[in-house]
Amino acid sequence: MKKIDEYFVPWLKGQKMYVSSHIDLAWKRPELHRMMSNENPLPPSDKVIEAILKYGKMANRYADQGFAVRQKIADINGLDGIENVLLGNGSSEVYDMIWRSFVAPGEEVIQQTPCFGIYKLRGGIVGAKMVSVPMIYKDKQLLFDPDGVLKAITPKTKIIVITNPNNPTGNFMKADDFVRIAETGLPFVVDEAYIEYSGLGKSQVKLTKKYKNVIITRTLSKAYGLAGMRFGYALGHKDVIVQIAATLIPWNVSTIAMWAALAALEDGAGLQERVEFNNQEVEYIETEVGKIKGITVFHSNGNYILFDSAIPGKTGKGMVDHGVKKGLILRGQDPMYGSEGWFRVTIGSHAENELFVNAVREYFTH
Ligand SMILES: Cc1ncc(COP(=O)(O)O)c(C=O)c1O
């Protein structure tokens, strides 16, 4: 008799469940400040809470296909209609659906690193080979490398994914470079998880009208502040969206989440308040930490900031450990480009951001 292990598909072997230990720690120890997962520090607005309560009372009912919220999303983005919009249980599920739609075991997904870790995790499940093209670290900036991405294409390439602005580096890729990659005809996923912090004027959604192969992903986890709600979506040509939709797990987005999402999308003032607060706090932290000699600050268009320190005897990991002593959960970053000085913060309340700035000063200047 064969052992149970031998029945698993081979590419699943060795893959592990994703455990977000810093988020588990934050729930276990609520007295710690959550400055590690690019969450929004502001709780949902009253309008969103109202929708949660209203549809919570109808939780005995199955959801429809999300007609109302998909129409709203299409309108906001200047698209024809609901046929251009696919809903996911967070955008992480959207990548899962896209990867499953295009990638067979052994085929390749190109990503620009450092980037969001879920691309690789969901790649592992479909047996994808992840091809990581590093950004270029030059003149205290981490730059996109579209030439490197184009050079990495092989006959096995099935998807190219670019995050815009990128997490963790916070910067945008140039508009022309999106066109160059779109012109390859390869499925091209542009992850716009943080786009609302700069406004939809910076979105590449218009490319979906000209290029059927371009798919935009978004989430309500960031500027809209609904990470725990789980609501993300993809935008694209109707023929592409309808095919990916075949992978949808029925009722993947709950009734409560879709109506709360609609309320959030309709609450323009709520979004503006969150964006303005975030951008002002980004500026505060960048200015204050920027005063410390030896720390490179990567200007962010998101709700997080990446730093690289070149101060002898000090490391990014040391900073993260110091943060915990000060009650702050921060995020480390594996050594890269020959430096161990990397760390990242997520914007918190103003008081939390002050605590962070003080902790950084204390660690690096003592
Ligand atoms: C680049 C990027 N995409 C997407 C997400 C969000 O995922 P979700 O919509 O599943 O919450 C994140 C969250 O950190 C992210 O950094």
Side-chain angles (χ1 to χ4, degrees):
M1 221 203 320
K2 281 208 276 184
K3 288 198 192 124
I4 185 70
D5 302 14
E6 294 173 52
Y7 287 96
F8 284 113
V9 291
W11 52 92
L12 193 64
K13 283 188 188 169
Q15 304 285 345
K16 297 219 167 63
M17 172 186 155
Y18 175 59
V19 175
S20 198
S21 50
H22 45 275
I23 296 181
D24 290 346
L25 171 70
W27 281 103
K28 210 182 281 173
R29 294 189 50 197
E31 74 281 9
L32 296 176
H33 300 282
R34 307 170 70 121
M35 305 184 81
M36 70 302 174
S37 291
N38 301 2
E39 296 166 335
N40 196 314
L42 302 180
S45 69
D46 289 347
K47 288 184 180 145
V48 173
I49 300 286
E50 250 171 58
I52 292 173
L53 291 175
K54 180 170 171 198
Y55 288 93
K57 289 179 185 161
M58 294 171 70
N60 52 321
R61 302 299 183 194
Y62 282 111
D64 68 6
Q65 292 178 41
F67 294 111
V69 71
R70 284 163 71 200
Q71 186 59 53
K72 178 72 186 170
I73 292 168
D75 294 346
I76 291 175
N77 289 285
L79 297 172
D80 294 339
I82 64 165
E83 63 277 18
N84 303 110
V85 183
L86 172 90
L87 303 186
N89 200 277
S91 55
S92 296
E93 191 187 47
V94 173
Y95 311 122
D96 184 72
M97 289 189 266
I98 299 173
W99 280 206
R100 281 192 285 133
S101 301
F102 291 108
V103 185
E107 294 181 331
E108 296 170 2
V109 175
I110 301 177
Q111 60 178 3
Q112 176 94 87
T113 50
C115 67
F116 185 44
I118 303 286
Y119 310 143
K120 183 174 173 201
L121 284 168
R122 300 322 300 170
I125 302 309
V126 294
K129 178 179 169 216
M130 298 304 292
V131 177
S132 297
V133 177
M135 297 180 94
I136 298 169
Y137 194 10
K138 198 174 139 196
D139 302 332
K140 303 199 166 194
Q141 283 185 301
L142 277 162
L143 305 169
F144 280 93
D145 182 12
D147 292 326
V149 167
L150 291 169
K151 272 192 214 132
I153 295 171
T154 76
K156 288 192 169 175
T157 305
K158 280 305 195 74
I159 293 174
I160 297 174
V161 56
I162 294 287
T163 320
N164 204 49
N166 190 36
N167 169 23
T169 57
N171 53 328
F172 284 104
M173 187 165 85
K174 287 200 201 92
D176 296 354
D177 293 327
F178 282 96
V179 174
R180 287 169 65 207
I181 298 176
E183 289 279 344
T184 64
L186 284 161
F188 180 21
V189 177
V190 184
D191 179 350
E192 296 188 339
Y194 300 94
I195 200 76
E196 293 86 1
Y197 289 114
S198 304
L200 294 191
K202 291 289 273 181
S203 170
Q204 298 300 324
V205 66
K206 48 203 172 292
L207 290 182
T208 63
K209 299 204 171 172
K210 182 162 178 204
Y211 299 97
K212 259 186 158 178
N213 54 313
V214 175
I215 303 164
I216 306 290
T217 64
R218 301 261 182 81
T219 179
L220 265 64
S221 297
K222 308 302 174 184
Y224 285 99
L226 294 174
M229 194 86 199
R230 312 308 300 138
F231 188 94
Y233 59 93
L235 305 173
H237 189 280
K238 66 177 177 15
D239 297 348
V240 175
I241 292 296
V242 80
Q243 189 60 73
I244 299 172
T247 69
L248 268 175
I249 294 183
W251 312 290
N252 63 330
V253 175
S254 76
T255 323
I256 300 169
M258 62 173 65
W259 289 99
L262 179 63
L265 292 162
E266 283 174 342
D267 183 9
L271 176 65
Q272 198 184 341
E273 180 194 344
R274 285 163 180 74
V275 167
E276 277 173 13
F277 172 77
N278 178 77
N279 295 354
Q280 155 196 323
E281 294 298 314
V282 166
E283 196 183 327
Y284 162 70
I285 295 181
E286 288 185 353
T287 308
E288 293 306 314
V289 177
K291 290 177 187 163
I292 304 171
K293 272 213 186 91
I295 298 187
T296 301
V297 179
F298 294 85
H299 171 59
S300 180
N301 295 288
N303 65 347
Y304 48 86
I305 309 171
L306 179 69
F307 306 93
D308 180 21
S309 70
I311 298 170
K314 305 281 177 180
T315 61
K317 185 179 177 311
M319 179 62 227
V320 174
D321 294 343
H322 182 72
V324 174
K325 283 186 209 143
K326 295 279 147 188
L328 312 174
I329 315 180
L330 306 174
R331 195 65 171 266
Q333 175 84 42
D334 287 339
M336 51 181 187
Y337 305 97
S339 167
E340 290 185 40
W342 304 95
F343 61 102
R344 192 182 83 195
V345 67
T346 297
I347 304 305
S349 65
H350 185 66
E352 288 176 323
N353 300 333
E354 280 181 340
L355 286 175
F356 169 72
V357 167
N358 289 337
V360 175
R361 264 192 215 122
E362 200 176 88
Y363 177 69
F364 284 103
T365 60
H366 288 99

